[in-house]
Amino acid sequence: MDSKLILYNTLTRRKQEFEPLHPPFVGLYVCGPTVYGDPHLGHARPAITFDLLFRYLRAAGYKVRYVRNITDVGHLENDADSGEDKIAKKARLEELEPMEVAQYYTNRYHDAMQRLNVLPPSIEPHASGHIIEQIAMIQKILDHGFAYISNGSVYFDVEAYNKKYHYGKLSGRVLDEMMSHTRTLDGQEDKRNPFDFALWKKAAPEHIMRWPSPWSDGFPGWHMECSAMSTRYLGETFDIHGGGMDLMFPHHECEIAQSTAACGHDSARYWMHNNMITINEQKMGKSLGNFITLEELMTGNHKLLAQPYSPMTIRFFVLQAHYRSTLDFSNDALQAAEKGYERLMKGVSTLNKLQSSATSSIDISGLETRLTAAMDDDLNSPIVISELFECVRMINQIHDGKQTISDEDLTELKRVIHLFVFDILGLRDDLQNDNSELLSSVMDIVLRIRQDAKQAKDWTTSDKIRNELSAIGIKVKDSKEGSDWECE
Ligand code: ZN
């Protein structure tokens, strides 16, 4: 595959040719979930977006080290610097050890990702497993004069940083404007400025998750883990950092500031952000009653759902929109995705059954180039899907005898379609599997009827069933134990 990948870089706000630092190696860091609740619709989009990137980079010949973290400590309520730790709160309510909560929801997340056919990352580090790295990085930031200690906690000094570097370079926020809009909040008296953020927090006596540090028994600030773990596994400078648009500020802005304050330069060269999923044009939120978990989506057990949706329907739904566009969830949109997915899978299954002719009446020479060009254009999966639908139309015409395909073209068509449908878009033919389950249930019924006929010595019926099954390629084998069947 001859690829020239162009990516939209959120940092420079323009499309740029992707040139890795050390080809063929690519370092990719993506912010993973905070594991305190069931994975929901909002988790599906970043997971599938960066899975698409991971798969495409690999198909283009890169060796990708994909790091996606698990946040199991330090993420406080309302993404703020005060309040309860999200995991500790859940543990308190359920009378569990915080790590039991984290492990349970990590398993649930992995299970959902597997069903969505999202590949596991190369490394999945946990924030709680990298306290030492975080403390070392905080110390560096302190040594460089961009942080201060206050009552056992350590805060990032945004004003001092902004005098030398640029705070707001990713999100486009301007510090002067932020200063005039923020007021001192309760519980933040330790900070010099309300927009300073915690690198290390001294733990209150009732706080369970705590570690010793030079400053106090406490825990790291939420943004710290990603700076420390990306540096640990990908180096001080690496290729791509990804995440949802909702993480751009404050999380990613603070990550950039921390890495720059510690190392003297920015960490990631390309920043990529996927847009959000809305539900009937509204932001998803527990308080709005439109919060849908992936489990509910797959079982249909939610008042907003007209039916259950299969994991591949959800994946297809996400891929049908460009990752930087908004994506609105509705039953109509999901039902359309279900039909689209089925049409594509039926096309692939027809392709596998096509007979070749001496010559081709169709032209497939530009197909791979067009599909690659669409992916190279900032991962334009909707264009890839519409090209694939064109292929399905062509496949059906060949199947109906309206067009012909040579043996050589058929082999090539199969290779290209399999590469893009299964390896790059990461779809899985669950339809085929569903049908085989259905077929085996139907065959159980048919063979039971034949068994009844045999017992009643109705040989005409029993032979008729066997012969007619044989005519459609199903061979019935009789033995002392009963009857079995197989497809020829
Ligand atoms: Zn992060």
Side-chain angles (χ1 to χ4, degrees):
M1 204 169 66
D2 196 14
S3 154
K4 218 176 182 43
L5 179 59
I6 308 273
L7 294 174
Y8 181 84
N9 188 347
T10 323
L11 195 59
T12 56
R13 294 176 184 78
R14 62 184 175 89
K15 284 187 178 178
Q16 277 177 274
E17 191 175 327
F18 176 61
E19 289 171 58
L21 270 172
H22 308 289
F25 301 98
V26 172
L28 168 65
Y29 188 91
V30 174
C31 291
T34 302
V35 281
Y36 72 107
D38 239 9
H40 54 75
L41 198 49
H43 286 113
R45 199 168 191 196
I48 293 169
T49 297
F50 293 104
D51 186 53
L52 178 69
L53 174 66
F54 182 36
R55 286 169 176 274
Y56 188 60
L57 288 169
R58 297 206 312 184
Y62 292 113
K63 295 187 186 317
V64 188
R65 183 181 295 166
Y66 176 15
V67 182
R68 189 186 66 207
N69 68 302
I70 292 281
T71 298
D72 58 358
V73 64
H75 196 170
L76 306 188
E77 286 179 296
N78 309 317
D79 299 349
D81 279 342
S82 58
E84 207 170 351
D85 183 293
K86 291 185 180 194
I87 289 161
K89 182 180 180 183
K90 187 87 180 171
R92 179 172 59 77
L93 295 173
E94 308 219 336
E95 298 185 312
L96 294 167
E97 153 70 31
M99 281 303 122
E100 276 182 290
V101 172
Q103 185 66 60
Y104 177 77
Y105 289 112
T106 302
N107 294 348
R108 300 278 291 168
Y109 181 75
H110 286 162
D111 182 48
M113 290 306 112
Q114 198 176 11
R115 294 173 79 182
L116 291 170
N117 213 22
V118 167
L119 297 172
S122 329
I123 304 175
E124 192 173 52
H126 291 230
S128 66
H130 297 76
I131 302 292
I132 291 170
E133 286 87 344
Q134 297 185 67
I135 289 174
M137 199 163 191
I138 295 167
Q139 189 59 57
K140 256 183 162 180
I141 298 172
L142 274 167
D143 293 348
H144 295 172
F146 298 114
Y148 55 92
I149 303 162
S150 176
N151 197 20
S153 294
V154 183
Y155 292 98
F156 193 89
D157 189 340
V158 172
E159 225 174 350
Y161 173 82
N162 196 51
K163 279 192 186 125
K164 182 161 184 195
Y165 302 105
H166 176 194
Y167 185 76
K169 69 192 261 190
L170 179 71
S171 60
R173 298 203 186 196
V174 179
L175 189 58
D176 287 343
E177 287 172 13
M178 283 166 62
M179 283 175 170
S180 59
H181 286 111
T182 44
R183 279 169 292 131
T184 309
L185 300 164
D186 288 341
Q188 307 219 32
E189 295 83 5
D190 292 348
K191 291 184 186 180
R192 284 183 196 162
N193 278 306
F195 44 75
D196 289 348
F197 55 92
L199 301 177
W200 186 265
K201 285 279 285 182
K202 181 183 176 178
E206 69 276 11
H207 198 97
I208 315 168
M209 285 189 279
R210 57 203 300 147
W211 289 265
S213 82
W215 317 290
S216 63
D217 266 17
F219 55 94
W222 170 39
H223 316 303
M224 206 54 231
E225 58 173 291
C226 290
S227 288
M229 297 191 292
S230 61
T231 308
R232 169 84 165 78
Y233 296 109
L234 299 173
E236 281 189 7
T237 312
F238 59 91
D239 296 304
I240 309 173
H241 193 312
M245 230 169 67
D246 53 335
L247 293 178
M248 206 189 292
F249 191 88
H251 187 55
H252 291 159
E253 194 72 65
C254 295
E255 257 193 76
I256 290 180
Q258 289 167 162
S259 299
T260 309
C263 308
H265 55 80
D266 201 350
S267 54
R269 298 167 66 241
Y270 299 80
W271 282 81
M272 289 175 71
H273 291 94
N274 64 276
N275 212 320
M276 299 288 103
I277 290 188
T278 52
I279 297 187
N280 300 320
E281 313 278 339
Q282 269 190 313
K283 206 179 161 215
M284 191 169 87
K286 283 207 167 112
S287 56
L288 297 167
N290 64 0
F291 188 87
I292 306 177
T293 67
L294 290 172
E295 170 89 21
E296 287 162 344
L297 203 55
M298 292 176 199
T299 56
N301 186 20
H302 190 286
K303 64 178 177 10
L304 287 177
L305 299 172
Q307 61 168 89
Y309 297 102
S310 75
M312 283 304 107
T313 296
I314 300 166
R315 187 168 178 114
F316 192 85
F317 169 68
V318 171
L319 292 172
Q320 252 188 335
H322 186 258
Y323 75 90
R324 286 193 292 118
S325 320
T326 51
L327 176 58
D328 190 49
F329 165 91
S330 68
N331 282 291
D332 286 348
L334 259 289
Q335 282 159 1
E338 186 174 48
K339 284 206 183 80
Y341 165 69
E342 286 179 8
R343 199 162 110 224
L344 189 55
M345 286 308 118
K346 280 182 188 148
V348 175
S349 129
T350 307
L351 171 66
N352 293 337
K353 285 183 263 173
L354 286 186
Q355 303 287 330
S356 59
S357 306
T359 55
S360 287
S361 63
I362 46 121
D363 179 17
I364 61 153
S365 58
L367 179 62
E368 186 173 19
T369 310
R370 288 197 302 277
L371 289 166
T372 307
M375 282 303 292
D376 277 348
D377 183 15
D378 197 26
L379 312 181
N380 204 330
S381 54
I383 300 287
V384 171
I385 289 173
S386 71
E387 283 283 351
L388 290 170
F389 279 146
E390 271 305 304
C391 291
V392 170
R393 218 168 54 87
M394 191 172 71
I395 289 164
N396 289 335
Q397 286 180 341
I398 299 167
H399 185 250
D400 295 345
K402 290 175 190 148
Q403 301 278 4
T404 59
I405 188 163
S406 71
D407 199 37
E408 196 185 336
D409 280 355
L410 183 57
T411 308
E412 177 65 3
L413 186 61
K414 280 183 186 168
R415 182 188 69 79
V416 175
I417 299 263
H418 281 242
L419 173 66
F420 278 85
V421 172
F422 300 120
D423 298 348
I424 293 172
L425 294 184
L427 292 166
R428 188 177 55 205
D429 192 356
D430 285 353
L431 220 54
Q432 195 90 321
N433 301 339
D434 280 0
N435 282 348
S436 65
E437 268 176 42
L438 191 66
L439 175 65
S440 100
S441 312
V442 170
M443 281 306 295
D444 286 345
I445 297 169
V446 172
L447 291 181
R448 238 181 291 134
I449 294 172
R450 182 164 171 267
Q451 195 58 33
D452 291 346
K454 277 168 85 176
Q455 260 167 12
K457 299 199 177 356
D458 179 2
W459 308 117
T460 320
T461 305
S462 84
D463 286 350
K464 190 176 180 210
I465 291 172
R466 192 192 57 213
N467 295 341
E468 292 200 6
L469 285 173
S470 168
I472 58 163
I474 296 173
K475 197 169 156 192
V476 176
K477 293 179 295 182
D478 293 313
S479 69
K480 281 183 199 130
E481 286 78 45
S483 302
D484 207 347
W485 63 277
E486 64 178 15
C487 288
E488 282 171 331

